[in-house]
């Protein structure tokens, strides 16, 4: 293991209704380079919530967040990050004005379905849209595999509220951090206006727009491409 490789640490967080098992290919690629990889976990299903912290020895500290993931990480973690990878994400999920009305109404309807006990059916509907243009069977394992817990339902509702209220970069976001934005041309979850707002908020970021990709970015080559991008800036 080289000294440069050992000073890189990645911390990743999945999106709404996902879980940390989706990061396994990323963890394997990081391990092959001698990097540390830690996956945060919201705990919607049978996996307990977990929030990793930075190794004090890490010089390159990379946050990788899918969808709402960047907004669910604590400010103290962001404050120490040197690099950010935004996967199908946003600053404000609900765009301003008329464009955002239907999205806000959809979020509220989703919350009502969860509160009424219709969680499983709702999540199957959501996963169908998030996976498109691929079938839901292409998705990695997730919290529905063993069922959503009572505390998991509460977190789903909390995070829906956070989606509705998100309005900018996460608290503690480091000014001048190296950034990569990966967006999906066929994203049915994040509105094009919300994707554009993220690009405008981070004008220094490199942007990849993936054709024939949906919100879950089910491109088996993506993790390797991102890891290569991270490696280009190793200390």
């Amino acid at each position: 293991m080289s000294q440069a490789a050992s000073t890189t640490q990645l911390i990743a967080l999945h999106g709404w209704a996902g879980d940390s098992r989706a990061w396994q290919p990323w963890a394997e690629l990081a391990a092959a380079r001698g990097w540390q990889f830690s996956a945060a976990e919201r705990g919607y299903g049978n996996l307990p919530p977990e929030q990793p912290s930075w190794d004090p020895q890490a010089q390159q500290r990379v946050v990788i967040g899918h969808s709402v993931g960047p907004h669910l990480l604590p400010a103290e973690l962001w404050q120490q990050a040197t690099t950010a990878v935004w996967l199908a994400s946003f600053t404000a999920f609900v765009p301003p004005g008329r464009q955002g009305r239907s999205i806000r109404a959809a979020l509220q309807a989703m919350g009502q379905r969860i509160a009424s006990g219709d969680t499983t059916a709702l999540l199957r509907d959501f996963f169908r849209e998030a996976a498109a243009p691929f079938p839901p069977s292409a998705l990695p394992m997730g919290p529905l595999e063993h069922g959503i817990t009572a505390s998991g339902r509460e977190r789903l509702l909390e995070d829906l509220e956070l989606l509705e209220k998100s309005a900018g970069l996460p608290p503690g976001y480091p000014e001048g951090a190296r950034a990569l934005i990966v967006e999906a041309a066929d994203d049915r979850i994040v509105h094009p206006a919300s994707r554009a707002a993220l690009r405008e908020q981070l004008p220094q970021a490199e942007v990849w727009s993936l054709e024939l990709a949906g919100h879950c970015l089910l491109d088996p080559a993506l993790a390797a491409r991102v890891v290569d991008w991270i490696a280009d800036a190793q200390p």
Side-chain angles (χ1 to χ4, degrees), residues 104-165:
R104 196 178 303 277
L107 290 174
Q108 293 170 356
M110 291 168 70
Q112 291 168 2
R113 288 182 67 182
I114 293 172
S116 69
D118 194 25
T119 307
T120 298
L122 165 69
L123 291 184
R124 293 196 188 285
D125 291 342
F126 171 76
F127 290 143
R128 184 171 56 252
E129 293 299 298
F134 298 96
S137 59
L139 292 170
M141 292 183 294
L144 271 185
E145 183 182 358
H146 297 291
I148 304 298
T149 63
S151 59
R153 284 193 294 274
E154 291 302 315
R155 289 191 191 92
L156 286 169
L157 288 169
E158 290 172 9
D159 295 348
L160 273 180
E161 185 175 350
L162 186 147
L163 274 169
E164 186 172 353
K165 292 180 176 179

Side-chain angles (χ1 to χ4, degrees), residues 52 220 228:
D228 285 345

Side-chain angles (χ1 to χ4, degrees), residues 11 22 27 42 52 60 66 88 122 126 128 158-161 188 190 196 209-210 216 224 227:
I11 291 181
R42 283 298 286 164
Q60 185 174 213
H66 178 247
L122 165 69
F126 171 76
R128 184 171 56 252
E158 290 172 9
D159 295 348
L160 273 180
E161 185 175 350
R188 297 185 184 179
V190 180
S209 183
L210 305 187
C216 287
V227 166

Side-chain angles (χ1 to χ4, degrees), residues 169-189:
L169 293 172
Y173 190 86
E175 184 178 352
R178 184 172 183 246
L180 171 65
I181 296 171
V182 183
E183 57 183 37
D186 293 337
D187 196 328
R188 297 185 184 179
I189 304 299

